[in-house]
Amino acid sequence: MPASPRFISVAVPTPLRSTFQYRLEGGQSVRPGSRVLVPFGHRKLAGVVTGIEEEPNVDNKKIRQVLDVFDDSASLTDPILKLCQWAAGYYDHPIGDVIANALPTLIRKGGNPRDPLNKLHITSAGANADPTVLRRAPAQRQLLANLIDEPLTRGEIKLRRISSRTVKSLIDKDWAEWQQERTEPDQPFELGSVHIPDIEITGEQADAIAAIDDTTPYLLQGITGSGKTEVYLRLMEPLLKAGSQILVLVPEIGLTPQTVARFRDRFDVPLTLLHSSLSDRERALGWMQAKEGSVGIILGTRSAVFTPLLNPGAIIVDEEHDTSYKQQDGFRYSARDLAVLRGQFEQMPVVLGSATPSLESLHNVETGKYRHLQLRKRPPGTVSESYELVDTRHLERREGFTRALRNRIKDQLAIGDQVLVFLNRRGFAPVMMCSDCNWIAHCRRCDAKLTYHLNLNSLVCHHCGSSNHNIISCQACGSNHVAAIGLGTQRIEQTLKEMFPNYPVLRIDRDSTRRQGAMEDFVEQVGSGEPAILVGTQLLSKGHHFPNVTLVALLDIDAGFYSSDFRALEKLGQLILQVGGRAGRAEKPGTVVIQSDFATHPLLQTLITNGYAEFSELLLKERQDLELPPYTFNALIRAEAADSSLAREFLESISDGRKSSPSVDLLGPIPALMEKKAGRFRQILILTSNSRPQLHRELHERVTLAESLPISKKVRWAVDVDPVDFF
Ligand code: ADP
Ligand code: ZN
Ligand code: ZN
C-alpha cells in the first residue's frame, strides 16, 4: 500500500539537474515512481516521485502543494526508477529528462492507456442499411464501410481525413454512435505451443545455451547465419514456459518483418512490438502490458530498454555493435550498456549478440566482465560467403564499375540470381562542381558539401536538410558548366538501368523507403527470387536476409580510410561483414567483391582472409598503444551557439583552473569534427582518463561549474559520456 508521507521529491521534465520538494495533502498517498501533478513556476507539470521525506529541505512555508496524484497502476516500477537514477548520475543528465525519455509520452503526462476510450461504432441500423442510399455521399459511404470493419477512435478518424460533418451525418441517421470502450488489464501470459524447426543444434550452439545460466552478461559472437537467433530462441523457451518475460532489443532499422516473424513463428505467446511509428496510446499500451505481465516477449528499439517487466526473464541485445543503441542527442545514453546494468539490478541474464562485436564489448570479455560465447562455424548444410578484394588504383572504372565487375553482374543475372550493389551514399552525386573555376557547392549553414538529388532536382544538405534549387549556375563565377561529381545511390541506379535494361533495379535507401511500408514492398519483391539488382546503403545491412543474392559488390568503401574518427576502421570492418552477410544463405554460396584503393591495407587483408576476430584483435592492440577507448574513458562537453566564438568561450571558462583529479586529461575546447552545423558553431571539451570514477568526478565538477555561470544560459550545451563520435 502506498504510504502517506508529508514531503516528496519530484523529478519534473526540465533541464535542471535537481529534483524539487513538494508537500502532500492528507489523504494523498504516493510511493517512489508515482506520477504527480505539481505547480512549477507558472505552469503545471506532471512529474515522478523520486523520494519521500519526513522533513522539509527548505523553509516549510515555501514548499508548494502537490496538485494531483495520478493513477498508481501506471507508476514507474522500482527497478526502472533505479535505472533512471543511476543513468542520470552516470551520464550527468537531468533526472527529469531521463525519466521523460524512459516513459511513453502518454504515461509521462499522467494518462493511462487503460482509461476508457471513445470509439465510433456502427449501430445495427447502420449494419443493415442499404449503402446505395449514400450514392451521392461517398465520404459517408466510405466511413460506413470502415465502421463495418472496426470501430474508430477520434484520432483514427482524423488520420483518415474524415470530416466531423461526415461523422455527424451518420450519427444523425442513427447508423453510428459513440461508445466508451474500456480495455481491461489482460491475464498473465501463458506460453502456448512452440514450433521447433527440424534442425539439430550444433555443439557450439548447445554449449552457448547451456552456459547462459546466471546473471553475468554474455557476448555471443558468431558470423551472420551461424545460428545466434536460434540460440536466443532456445534460451527463451524455458523462461517463457516458467512465465518470465524476455526483452529483445534490435537496432533502429533492424525491426523488420523478417525479424518479428522469427519470434512469432516460434512461440505462441503474446508479443509487444515497440517501434517508432506507434501512436502514443499504442506505445503506452505496450508498456502497460509489459508491466502487467500480460506479454511474454517485448521486441523494441533503443528506448525499449526502459520497459518495465513484471517477471524479468532475460534481455537480448541483437547486433550489439550497432551505433543506433546510443542516443545521439539530448540524453545520450547507450541502451546496450543500460541493458547490461539492468540485468544486474533485476538479476537476469543479458545476452549481447553480434557477428562483429564492438571493441568495447570484446574488451569487456578480456577483462572478465562479460563471458564470451562463440559460434565459429555455420550449421551444416549452410555455406559462407567468400570475399574478394579488387585493387582499383590502376583499374579503369565506368561510373564506379570495373569491367570485371560488370561482367560478373551480367553472369549472375543470367543464371537467375540477384545482385546487391552497396554504396553508403544516398542522392545522385556528393559533389557539385564548376568546371571553369572549381567552385564546389557547400551548405550555407554547415561545413558540408551539398548532395545532388535527381528526383528533387536540387542540392540537399544531408546534415541540416536544407535544399537549394539553383543547380545550373556557379555561385562564384556564374558559369553554367557545373557538373555532378562522384557517386550516389541514385546515380548507380541510373547507371545499372542503362547497363542492364532487362532487369529490375531496386534502390533501397532512406529516400526511397520514406513511405510507410515501402521497405516491406521491396523485401517482398526481392523475396520473389526473380533476378534483380538491389542498390542500397547501410539500410540494407540490418535485419534483412536476401537468400537469392549471390553477388554483393561494395563499390566505394574508402571514406573509412580517410576519416579522422578513430572508430572509422572498426565501423568499416563491421559494415563490410554485415553487408556481405546478407548474401547467399542456406544452399547458395555468395561472393562479396570489395573495390578499394586500399586493397593492400593490412587491416583489410586481415579482415577478409582471417576474419573479424583477428581484425578486431589488431584494432584493440592499436587502441591500447594509442591509449584510446576502450582502454581509456572519454566524456565530452558539447557546446554550440549561433555566435561563432561563444561556444568556445563557454568551454574555456569551464576548462580553466585547477583540475581536481590528476589522472584526468582535459583537451580543448576544440571545434567539433563538423564545426558548423545548421547555422550553429560547435565546440567540444574532451575529458579522458583511465579511471572511470575520477572521470565522472571531474566531469561532474565541470558541469556544476558550468551551471553556475551566466554564459551557460547563452549556449546550448550537453554532456556526452562514452561518445561514439566527435562530430
Ligand atoms: P544468425 O542469427 O547468427 O544470423 P540464425 O539463427 O538466423 O543465425 O540462423 C541462420 C539459419 O540457419 C536459419 O535459417 C536457421 O534456422 C538455421 N539454423 C540455425 N541453427 C541451425 C542448426 N543447428 N542446424 C541447421 N540449421 C540451423
Ligand atoms: Zn546543412
Ligand atoms: Zn565557377
Side-chain angles (χ1 to χ4, degrees):
M1 202 39 223
S4 308
R6 294 185 54 214
F7 301 99
I8 55 174
S9 292
V10 177
V12 286
T14 66
L16 299 163
R17 279 180 170 71
S18 55
T19 55
F20 298 87
Q21 209 180 27
Y22 290 89
R23 180 205 311 277
L24 273 184
E25 245 175 285
Q28 287 178 323
S29 61
V30 297
R31 64 172 114 214
S34 295
R35 300 163 308 150
V36 291
L37 187 70
V38 294
F40 193 81
H42 298 294
R43 293 180 296 165
K44 291 177 189 171
L45 292 179
V48 167
V49 178
T50 56
I52 287 176
E53 296 98 26
E54 288 306 318
E55 300 297 326
N57 295 339
V58 290
D59 181 2
N60 203 339
K61 292 191 202 72
K62 286 197 187 134
I63 301 182
R64 300 169 81 179
Q65 198 97 37
V66 169
L67 300 172
D68 201 1
V69 179
F70 295 110
D71 176 11
D72 188 46
S73 69
S75 294
L76 214 61
T77 62
D78 285 344
I80 300 298
L81 180 60
K82 192 172 159 200
L83 187 66
C84 288
Q85 286 173 319
W86 186 91
Y90 183 85
Y91 293 105
D92 219 314
H93 193 78
I95 177 72
D97 194 49
V98 171
I99 291 176
N101 273 269
L103 287 178
T105 313
L106 187 132
I107 304 278
R108 174 167 66 78
K109 292 189 171 157
N112 186 326
R114 298 273 184 225
D115 285 345
L117 188 64
N118 238 352
K119 279 192 177 180
L120 190 65
H121 285 248
I122 193 159
T123 61
S124 53
N128 295 319
D130 173 11
T132 54
V133 177
L134 298 175
R135 219 174 22 237
R136 299 254 185 76
Q140 289 180 48
R141 192 170 169 171
Q142 180 62 45
L143 176 58
L144 193 69
N146 289 155
L147 293 178
I148 287 171
D149 291 340
E150 55 174 349
L152 297 177
T153 63
R154 268 183 214 288
E156 287 161 349
I157 288 172
K158 211 167 129 196
L159 220 65
R160 290 167 198 230
R161 300 179 183 283
I162 300 166
S163 75
S164 46
R165 234 188 47 222
T166 307
V167 172
K168 186 165 180 303
S169 307
L170 280 196
I171 292 177
D172 289 347
K173 291 191 179 72
D174 262 339
W175 288 1
E177 65 184 7
W178 288 105
Q179 285 178 18
Q180 292 258 318
E181 236 179 55
R182 178 176 278 282
T183 53
E184 297 299 338
D186 300 318
Q187 296 298 310
F189 81 87
E190 260 174 57
L191 177 63
S193 50
V194 180
H195 311 279
I196 302 175
D198 185 20
I199 53 173
E200 203 167 317
I201 280 300
T202 65
E204 286 180 328
Q205 283 174 321
D207 290 346
I209 297 159
I212 302 171
D213 61 354
D214 67 13
T215 60
T216 345
Y218 296 88
L219 176 65
L220 177 62
Q221 180 174 5
I223 54 169
T224 338
S226 62
K228 295 183 297 295
T229 309
E230 192 59 38
V231 171
Y232 305 153
L233 293 166
R234 305 254 169 172
L235 168 74
M236 289 162 67
E237 189 182 331
L239 291 168
L240 289 169
K241 203 164 270 168
S244 302
Q245 296 166 287
I246 315 290
L247 177 60
V248 184
L249 300 183
V250 296
E252 222 150 62
I253 46 182
L255 195 54
T256 64
Q258 281 172 319
T259 310
V260 180
R262 284 296 290 281
F263 292 88
R264 276 207 208 283
D265 293 350
R266 177 67 58 99
F267 301 112
D268 181 8
V269 76
L271 178 150
T272 282
L273 276 185
L274 298 173
H275 55 81
S276 55
S277 44
L278 293 180
S279 71
D280 278 0
R281 194 184 167 84
E282 287 168 328
R283 179 173 290 276
L285 191 62
W287 183 93
M288 204 64 185
Q289 289 168 330
K291 188 185 173 196
E292 292 164 352
S294 61
V295 288
I297 303 173
I298 295 95
L299 198 56
T301 50
R302 185 174 59 229
S303 64
V305 74
F306 295 107
T307 312
L309 300 175
L310 183 69
N311 295 306
I315 306 181
I316 292 161
V317 183
D318 195 27
E319 310 290 6
E320 67 85 29
H321 64 278
D322 198 280
T323 44
S324 76
Y325 285 123
K326 177 93 199 261
Q327 182 146 292
Q328 300 280 31
D329 54 20
F331 171 34
R332 293 172 178 254
Y333 66 97
S334 156
R336 175 196 62 205
D337 295 350
L338 288 183
V340 167
L341 192 85
R342 190 173 168 188
Q344 286 165 20
F345 284 175
E346 293 182 71
Q347 292 291 297
M348 60 178 150
V350 177
V351 182
L352 311 179
S354 177
T356 54
S358 62
L359 297 189
E360 278 74 14
S361 293
L362 288 168
H363 181 59
N364 282 330
V365 166
E366 274 180 359
T367 60
K369 266 200 198 157
Y370 295 174
R371 279 166 60 187
H372 205 185
L373 306 169
Q374 292 190 75
L375 307 178
R376 291 183 183 81
K377 294 186 289 287
R378 280 194 177 172
T382 63
V383 284
S384 302
E385 70 277 8
S386 54
Y387 288 82
E388 282 172 34
L389 272 171
V390 178
D391 191 341
T392 41
R393 270 174 306 178
H394 310 294
L395 288 177
E396 193 196 323
R397 273 176 281 182
R398 201 172 104 206
E399 292 286 306
F401 296 86
T402 60
R403 176 193 297 275
L405 181 56
R406 289 196 299 269
N407 286 333
R408 286 179 82 153
I409 294 175
K410 192 170 83 195
D411 295 346
Q412 222 65 26
L413 293 168
I415 59 167
D417 284 358
Q418 297 173 334
V419 175
L420 189 162
V421 176
F422 173 85
L423 182 75
N424 213 7
R425 209 180 294 125
R426 62 196 173 90
F428 185 82
V431 178
M432 211 51 180
M433 191 165 101
C434 168
S435 38
D436 288 342
C437 76
N438 288 353
W439 168 86
I440 287 174
H442 276 92
C443 176
R444 233 169 293 180
R445 311 174 65 214
C446 305
D447 292 327
K449 297 186 190 84
L450 292 172
T451 301
Y452 175 56
H453 280 247
L454 189 64
N455 52 340
L456 308 168
N457 197 28
S458 65
L459 295 167
V460 179
C461 174
H462 285 180
H463 302 280
C464 71
S466 57
S467 60
N468 181 343
H469 293 284
N470 173 16
I471 54 155
I472 43 168
S473 62
C474 168
Q475 279 159 39
C477 74
S479 149
N480 45 23
H481 298 146
V482 282
I485 310 216
L487 302 174
T489 47
Q490 292 177 353
R491 185 171 210 152
I492 297 297
E493 177 191 15
Q494 197 181 58
T495 303
L496 286 166
K497 277 181 173 159
E498 284 161 20
M499 284 179 183
F500 304 100
N502 299 326
Y503 296 96
V505 177
L506 308 174
R507 175 168 56 84
I508 304 179
D509 57 26
R510 199 171 308 162
D511 299 312
S512 71
T513 56
R514 240 175 262 273
R515 179 178 62 78
Q516 272 265 338
M519 193 67 174
E520 283 75 7
D521 293 348
F522 280 128
V523 170
E524 193 172 319
Q525 202 178 343
V526 179
S528 75
E530 293 297 307
I533 308 175
L534 286 65
V535 180
T537 57
Q538 60 166 342
L539 260 195
L540 283 176
S541 70
K542 293 171 196 182
H544 297 285
H545 301 298
F546 304 110
N548 288 306
V549 169
T550 51
L551 174 65
V552 176
L554 290 89
L555 284 196
D556 179 3
I557 55 156
D558 290 349
F561 291 97
Y562 295 113
S563 172
S564 48
D565 178 357
F566 69 83
R567 284 192 176 82
L569 288 177
E570 175 190 356
K571 287 181 192 157
L572 177 62
Q574 291 166 344
L575 189 65
I576 290 174
L577 297 191
Q578 293 290 341
V579 175
R582 301 302 116 192
R585 286 220 138 167
E587 325 76 41
K588 288 189 176 179
T591 307
V592 183
V593 176
I594 305 166
Q595 296 192 155
S596 174
D597 284 355
F598 293 84
T600 54
H601 196 289
L603 272 169
L604 206 48
Q605 292 281 348
T606 303
L607 180 72
I608 70 152
T609 44
N610 304 333
Y612 190 76
E614 271 191 40
F615 170 77
S616 55
E617 222 169 274
L618 285 180
L619 285 178
L620 275 170
K621 179 80 187 45
E622 196 178 278
R623 296 272 184 96
Q624 186 164 26
D625 292 345
L626 297 172
E627 297 186 21
L628 287 168
Y631 295 91
T632 54
F633 308 111
N634 272 344
L636 306 183
I637 300 180
R638 298 171 179 271
E640 57 172 70
D643 179 316
S644 64
S645 57
L646 213 54
R648 204 190 57 242
E649 277 170 38
F650 163 68
L651 290 177
E652 270 166 2
S653 59
I654 59 171
S655 60
D656 283 352
R658 201 174 55 84
K659 270 190 311 170
S660 54
S661 329
S663 66
V664 179
D665 287 331
L666 285 181
L667 174 65
I670 58 168
L673 279 187
M674 183 180 293
E675 183 177 2
K676 189 175 165 202
K677 186 175 171 185
R680 305 177 68 86
F681 294 86
R682 307 148 78 229
Q683 296 271 329
I684 53 179
L685 181 66
I686 307 174
L687 288 77
T688 304
S689 179
N690 44 27
S691 154
R692 258 206 193 283
Q694 301 228 28
L695 177 77
H696 284 261
R697 198 170 318 133
E698 186 70 43
L699 175 67
H700 191 64
E701 269 179 37
R702 301 289 149 184
V703 168
T704 312
L705 173 62
E707 284 184 317
S708 71
L709 299 174
I711 188 176
S712 72
K713 309 278 184 296
K714 293 192 212 145
V715 298
R716 221 184 267 165
W717 63 281
V719 174
D720 191 353
V721 175
D722 308 330
V724 292
D725 65 51
F726 296 72
F727 281 98

mmCIF file of all heavy atoms in Angstrom, residues 483-508:
data_model
loop_
_atom_site.group_PDB
_atom_site.id
_atom_site.type_symbol
_atom_site.label_atom_id
_atom_site.label_comp_id
_atom_site.label_asym_id
_atom_site.label_seq_id
_atom_site.Cartn_x
_atom_site.Cartn_y
_atom_site.Cartn_z
ATOM 1 N N ALA A 483 28.897 20.529 -62.791
ATOM 2 C CA ALA A 483 28.689 19.102 -63.025
ATOM 3 C C ALA A 483 28.612 18.344 -61.712
ATOM 4 O O ALA A 483 29.263 18.689 -60.737
ATOM 5 C CB ALA A 483 29.838 18.560 -63.875
ATOM 6 N N ALA A 484 27.805 17.302 -61.741
ATOM 7 C CA ALA A 484 27.675 16.431 -60.576
ATOM 8 C C ALA A 484 28.813 15.424 -60.590
ATOM 9 O O ALA A 484 28.983 14.674 -61.547
ATOM 10 C CB ALA A 484 26.336 15.708 -60.621
ATOM 11 N N ILE A 485 29.618 15.438 -59.527
ATOM 12 C CA ILE A 485 30.812 14.596 -59.489
ATOM 13 C C ILE A 485 30.688 13.561 -58.378
ATOM 14 O O ILE A 485 30.225 13.876 -57.282
ATOM 15 C CB ILE A 485 32.061 15.460 -59.224
ATOM 16 C CG1 ILE A 485 32.027 16.626 -60.200
ATOM 17 C CG2 ILE A 485 33.331 14.626 -59.268
ATOM 18 C CD1 ILE A 485 33.307 17.063 -60.713
ATOM 19 N N GLY A 486 31.141 12.352 -58.655
ATOM 20 C CA GLY A 486 31.129 11.308 -57.636
ATOM 21 C C GLY A 486 29.841 10.504 -57.679
ATOM 22 O O GLY A 486 28.914 10.809 -58.433
ATOM 23 N N LEU A 487 29.810 9.470 -56.854
ATOM 24 C CA LEU A 487 28.728 8.507 -56.931
ATOM 25 C C LEU A 487 27.788 8.564 -55.742
ATOM 26 O O LEU A 487 28.209 8.677 -54.607
ATOM 27 C CB LEU A 487 29.309 7.078 -56.982
ATOM 28 C CG LEU A 487 30.259 6.776 -58.121
ATOM 29 C CD1 LEU A 487 30.852 5.391 -57.932
ATOM 30 C CD2 LEU A 487 29.549 6.887 -59.454
ATOM 31 N N GLY A 488 26.498 8.486 -56.053
ATOM 32 C CA GLY A 488 25.476 8.295 -55.036
ATOM 33 C C GLY A 488 24.569 7.174 -55.501
ATOM 34 O O GLY A 488 24.643 6.757 -56.667
ATOM 35 N N THR A 489 23.716 6.692 -54.626
ATOM 36 C CA THR A 489 22.879 5.540 -54.996
ATOM 37 C C THR A 489 21.971 5.827 -56.186
ATOM 38 O O THR A 489 21.715 4.951 -57.004
ATOM 39 C CB THR A 489 22.024 5.071 -53.807
ATOM 40 O OG1 THR A 489 21.417 6.217 -53.207
ATOM 41 C CG2 THR A 489 22.845 4.330 -52.785
ATOM 42 N N GLN A 490 21.500 7.081 -56.317
ATOM 43 C CA GLN A 490 20.618 7.382 -57.445
ATOM 44 C C GLN A 490 21.357 7.262 -58.766
ATOM 45 O O GLN A 490 20.809 6.814 -59.771
ATOM 46 C CB GLN A 490 20.046 8.802 -57.306
ATOM 47 C CG GLN A 490 19.079 8.936 -56.141
ATOM 48 C CD GLN A 490 18.563 10.360 -55.965
ATOM 49 O OE1 GLN A 490 19.023 11.285 -56.633
ATOM 50 N NE2 GLN A 490 17.625 10.533 -55.058
ATOM 51 N N ARG A 491 22.619 7.680 -58.748
ATOM 52 C CA ARG A 491 23.416 7.599 -59.977
ATOM 53 C C ARG A 491 23.703 6.144 -60.337
ATOM 54 O O ARG A 491 23.635 5.751 -61.499
ATOM 55 C CB ARG A 491 24.727 8.349 -59.760
ATOM 56 C CG ARG A 491 25.569 8.435 -61.004
ATOM 57 C CD ARG A 491 26.732 9.381 -60.761
ATOM 58 N NE ARG A 491 27.140 10.033 -61.973
ATOM 59 C CZ ARG A 491 27.712 11.227 -62.009
ATOM 60 N NH1 ARG A 491 27.903 11.892 -60.887
ATOM 61 N NH2 ARG A 491 28.074 11.760 -63.135
ATOM 62 N N ILE A 492 24.019 5.345 -59.300
ATOM 63 C CA ILE A 492 24.276 3.925 -59.529
ATOM 64 C C ILE A 492 23.028 3.256 -60.092
ATOM 65 O O ILE A 492 23.094 2.433 -61.007
ATOM 66 C CB ILE A 492 24.693 3.239 -58.201
ATOM 67 C CG1 ILE A 492 25.996 3.841 -57.683
ATOM 68 C CG2 ILE A 492 24.828 1.734 -58.369
ATOM 69 C CD1 ILE A 492 27.166 3.642 -58.600
ATOM 70 N N GLU A 493 21.894 3.649 -59.548
ATOM 71 C CA GLU A 493 20.633 3.090 -60.030
ATOM 72 C C GLU A 493 20.464 3.383 -61.520
ATOM 73 O O GLU A 493 20.161 2.505 -62.327
ATOM 74 C CB GLU A 493 19.466 3.709 -59.242
ATOM 75 C CG GLU A 493 18.096 3.272 -59.701
ATOM 76 C CD GLU A 493 16.972 4.110 -59.079
ATOM 77 O OE1 GLU A 493 17.266 5.201 -58.522
ATOM 78 O OE2 GLU A 493 15.820 3.676 -59.143
ATOM 79 N N GLN A 494 20.706 4.650 -61.877
ATOM 80 C CA GLN A 494 20.553 5.052 -63.271
ATOM 81 C C GLN A 494 21.530 4.292 -64.175
ATOM 82 O O GLN A 494 21.160 3.786 -65.230
ATOM 83 C CB GLN A 494 20.811 6.559 -63.372
ATOM 84 C CG GLN A 494 20.312 7.169 -64.648
ATOM 85 C CD GLN A 494 20.618 8.661 -64.679
ATOM 86 O OE1 GLN A 494 21.776 9.077 -64.574
ATOM 87 N NE2 GLN A 494 19.595 9.473 -64.788
ATOM 88 N N THR A 495 22.787 4.203 -63.729
ATOM 89 C CA THR A 495 23.813 3.504 -64.499
ATOM 90 C C THR A 495 23.430 2.045 -64.731
ATOM 91 O O THR A 495 23.523 1.524 -65.841
ATOM 92 C CB THR A 495 25.156 3.554 -63.736
ATOM 93 O OG1 THR A 495 25.486 4.908 -63.511
ATOM 94 C CG2 THR A 495 26.256 2.874 -64.521
ATOM 95 N N LEU A 496 22.986 1.399 -63.649
ATOM 96 C CA LEU A 496 22.651 -0.022 -63.766
ATOM 97 C C LEU A 496 21.449 -0.245 -64.675
ATOM 98 O O LEU A 496 21.386 -1.238 -65.409
ATOM 99 C CB LEU A 496 22.392 -0.619 -62.378
ATOM 100 C CG LEU A 496 23.661 -0.843 -61.543
ATOM 101 C CD1 LEU A 496 23.320 -1.097 -60.084
ATOM 102 C CD2 LEU A 496 24.483 -2.007 -62.114
ATOM 103 N N LYS A 497 20.522 0.709 -64.644
ATOM 104 C CA LYS A 497 19.357 0.578 -65.527
ATOM 105 C C LYS A 497 19.790 0.652 -66.987
ATOM 106 O O LYS A 497 19.228 -0.025 -67.845
ATOM 107 C CB LYS A 497 18.338 1.677 -65.229
ATOM 108 C CG LYS A 497 17.446 1.325 -64.042
ATOM 109 C CD LYS A 497 16.425 2.409 -63.772
ATOM 110 C CE LYS A 497 15.445 1.963 -62.717
ATOM 111 N NZ LYS A 497 14.768 3.110 -62.070
ATOM 112 N N GLU A 498 20.803 1.490 -67.243
ATOM 113 C CA GLU A 498 21.311 1.579 -68.613
ATOM 114 C C GLU A 498 22.111 0.341 -68.995
ATOM 115 O O GLU A 498 22.012 -0.169 -70.102
ATOM 116 C CB GLU A 498 22.188 2.829 -68.765
ATOM 117 C CG GLU A 498 21.364 4.106 -68.867
ATOM 118 C CD GLU A 498 22.183 5.361 -68.560
ATOM 119 O OE1 GLU A 498 23.441 5.291 -68.635
ATOM 120 O OE2 GLU A 498 21.567 6.387 -68.229
ATOM 121 N N MET A 499 22.911 -0.148 -68.042
ATOM 122 C CA MET A 499 23.753 -1.310 -68.335
ATOM 123 C C MET A 499 22.938 -2.591 -68.481
ATOM 124 O O MET A 499 23.267 -3.463 -69.268
ATOM 125 C CB MET A 499 24.769 -1.523 -67.210
ATOM 126 C CG MET A 499 25.938 -0.571 -67.196
ATOM 127 S SD MET A 499 26.988 -0.995 -65.771
ATOM 128 C CE MET A 499 28.226 0.277 -65.881
ATOM 129 N N PHE A 500 21.896 -2.714 -67.660
ATOM 130 C CA PHE A 500 21.106 -3.955 -67.652
ATOM 131 C C PHE A 500 19.616 -3.654 -67.811
ATOM 132 O O PHE A 500 18.836 -3.819 -66.884
ATOM 133 C CB PHE A 500 21.351 -4.727 -66.348
ATOM 134 C CG PHE A 500 22.801 -5.025 -66.099
ATOM 135 C CD1 PHE A 500 23.547 -4.248 -65.223
ATOM 136 C CD2 PHE A 500 23.423 -6.070 -66.773
ATOM 137 C CE1 PHE A 500 24.891 -4.513 -65.008
ATOM 138 C CE2 PHE A 500 24.771 -6.339 -66.557
ATOM 139 C CZ PHE A 500 25.510 -5.558 -65.678
ATOM 140 N N PRO A 501 19.254 -3.196 -69.012
ATOM 141 C CA PRO A 501 17.878 -2.716 -69.209
ATOM 142 C C PRO A 501 16.823 -3.807 -69.026
ATOM 143 O O PRO A 501 15.663 -3.496 -68.836
ATOM 144 C CB PRO A 501 17.889 -2.195 -70.655
ATOM 145 C CG PRO A 501 19.069 -2.822 -71.299
ATOM 146 C CD PRO A 501 20.067 -3.093 -70.239
ATOM 147 N N ASN A 502 17.223 -5.071 -69.039
ATOM 148 C CA ASN A 502 16.214 -6.133 -68.954
ATOM 149 C C ASN A 502 15.919 -6.605 -67.539
ATOM 150 O O ASN A 502 15.143 -7.531 -67.347
ATOM 151 C CB ASN A 502 16.646 -7.335 -69.793
ATOM 152 C CG ASN A 502 16.797 -6.945 -71.253
ATOM 153 O OD1 ASN A 502 16.046 -6.082 -71.742
ATOM 154 N ND2 ASN A 502 17.768 -7.521 -71.937
ATOM 155 N N TYR A 503 16.571 -5.985 -66.567
ATOM 156 C CA TYR A 503 16.357 -6.445 -65.192
ATOM 157 C C TYR A 503 15.868 -5.297 -64.316
ATOM 158 O O TYR A 503 16.276 -4.150 -64.508
ATOM 159 C CB TYR A 503 17.660 -7.003 -64.615
ATOM 160 C CG TYR A 503 18.150 -8.225 -65.342
ATOM 161 C CD1 TYR A 503 19.114 -8.110 -66.350
ATOM 162 C CD2 TYR A 503 17.626 -9.484 -65.045
ATOM 163 C CE1 TYR A 503 19.570 -9.236 -67.038
ATOM 164 C CE2 TYR A 503 18.073 -10.615 -65.728
ATOM 165 C CZ TYR A 503 19.045 -10.481 -66.723
ATOM 166 O OH TYR A 503 19.476 -11.582 -67.390
ATOM 167 N N PRO A 504 15.024 -5.618 -63.340
ATOM 168 C CA PRO A 504 14.605 -4.545 -62.422
ATOM 169 C C PRO A 504 15.768 -4.099 -61.530
ATOM 170 O O PRO A 504 16.573 -4.925 -61.102
ATOM 171 C CB PRO A 504 13.508 -5.205 -61.578
ATOM 172 C CG PRO A 504 13.657 -6.676 -61.773
ATOM 173 C CD PRO A 504 14.358 -6.887 -63.077
ATOM 174 N N VAL A 505 15.858 -2.795 -61.327
ATOM 175 C CA VAL A 505 16.862 -2.248 -60.415
ATOM 176 C C VAL A 505 16.098 -1.604 -59.256
ATOM 177 O O VAL A 505 15.283 -0.705 -59.469
ATOM 178 C CB VAL A 505 17.745 -1.196 -61.115
ATOM 179 C CG1 VAL A 505 18.730 -0.587 -60.128
ATOM 180 C CG2 VAL A 505 18.479 -1.814 -62.299
ATOM 181 N N LEU A 506 16.328 -2.078 -58.044
ATOM 182 C CA LEU A 506 15.617 -1.553 -56.885
ATOM 183 C C LEU A 506 16.584 -0.769 -56.006
ATOM 184 O O LEU A 506 17.573 -1.318 -55.538
ATOM 185 C CB LEU A 506 15.036 -2.699 -56.047
ATOM 186 C CG LEU A 506 14.187 -3.732 -56.782
ATOM 187 C CD1 LEU A 506 13.820 -4.865 -55.843
ATOM 188 C CD2 LEU A 506 12.946 -3.064 -57.325
ATOM 189 N N ARG A 507 16.281 0.493 -55.816
ATOM 190 C CA ARG A 507 17.145 1.302 -54.944
ATOM 191 C C ARG A 507 16.522 1.330 -53.551
ATOM 192 O O ARG A 507 15.354 1.676 -53.390
ATOM 193 C CB ARG A 507 17.295 2.713 -55.496
ATOM 194 C CG ARG A 507 18.074 3.637 -54.585
ATOM 195 C CD ARG A 507 18.447 4.915 -55.302
ATOM 196 N NE ARG A 507 17.292 5.613 -55.854
ATOM 197 C CZ ARG A 507 16.523 6.445 -55.148
ATOM 198 N NH1 ARG A 507 16.784 6.682 -53.880
ATOM 199 N NH2 ARG A 507 15.498 7.046 -55.721
ATOM 200 N N ILE A 508 17.313 0.971 -52.559
ATOM 201 C CA ILE A 508 16.809 0.930 -51.191
ATOM 202 C C ILE A 508 17.681 1.827 -50.309
ATOM 203 O O ILE A 508 18.794 1.456 -49.926
ATOM 204 C CB ILE A 508 16.797 -0.521 -50.655
ATOM 205 C CG1 ILE A 508 15.979 -1.406 -51.614
ATOM 206 C CG2 ILE A 508 16.231 -0.565 -49.248
ATOM 207 C CD1 ILE A 508 15.900 -2.860 -51.227
#
